[in-house]
Amino acid sequence: MAKKRTARPQLLVVVSDLHCGSTVGLMPPDSENMAGNTLAFGSNHHQRWLWECWQDAQKQVAKIAGNDPLALLINGDATEGIHHRSPEVVASLIETHCAMAATALRPWADRAVATFVTKGTECHTHDIESYLASLIGAQDGKAREKWLIDIHGCLIDATHHIGATSRAYLEASAMSIVLGNARLNSIRAGHPSAQVYLRAHRHCGGVFSDGSGLLAITGGWQFLTRHGHKVVPDAIPRPSVLVLDWRGKPEGSLPIHHHIFFNPPAPKVTKV
């Protein structure tokens, strides 16, 4: 899709936690390491499924957006990184992970009139995010810890981290707490209070709104690692893409949200 730069965007597409470079994270087919060796899916059905969903997500976003201009937010952890001596990586250099992320994100960034990259977790990204931002032509050519973005008169506060919980039934409570806490801290400091707060990191997506504010978390594009199986063994990754849509809404109002989720196939049951 060609870029449309003739109008201010009233759509924001949000993705996060791609973890490119992980053996259970997003990976473009036929990637290469720094020496030129081909890195393919092989029999890794996790990565094949994730890439198919990634392509489907682009089609769904295109259907929602049509020819209208949009902005793109990459809200942290686009790379897996080299950390904790983990063997669960497809290449030993984070530069290779970054190149994979750039390949995956470039079609989205080429479509967007503005792209923003948020810094993620240090062990996953080190300081590679600004290099990624420069590769895909993102805003300022660098990443930030937090972005404050005004779209259609609505102030958006976007940063990667948020506390995690292993109790799925308390997720809405946790989101409402973060929303209220963020607002209060802004007010106490005399800063403008955002209406929309965007977070990631938990790999568990969702949206909470109290009618005057909205907090949204995007789902991660990574299946459970060995560490994940230890700390959140019951978690089931559901990758997602969030589209915030202000078209037809009054200036300064909350957007309509389109949250695109993908449910992985159920695991095989062993009969005895």
Side-chain angles (χ1 to χ4, degrees), residues 6-7 38 49 54 57 71 76-77 117 122 128 135 141 151 159-160 163 172 180 191 222 228 233 248 251 258 262 271:
T6 57
T38 298
W49 181 82
W54 188 250
D77 282 4
V117 178
E122 300 92 327
I128 205 74
L135 286 178
I151 296 182
T159 192
H160 177 73
H191 296 173
Q222 183 184 41
E251 186 91 6
H258 312 270
F262 296 94
K271 294 183 179 181

Side-chain angles (χ1 to χ4, degrees), residues 13 56-66 70 108 241 243 260:
V13 178
D56 186 25
Q58 292 183 59
K59 294 176 183 177
Q60 292 194 51
V61 170
K63 186 175 181 179
I64 292 168
L70 57 84
W108 302 78
V241 174
V243 182
I260 304 165

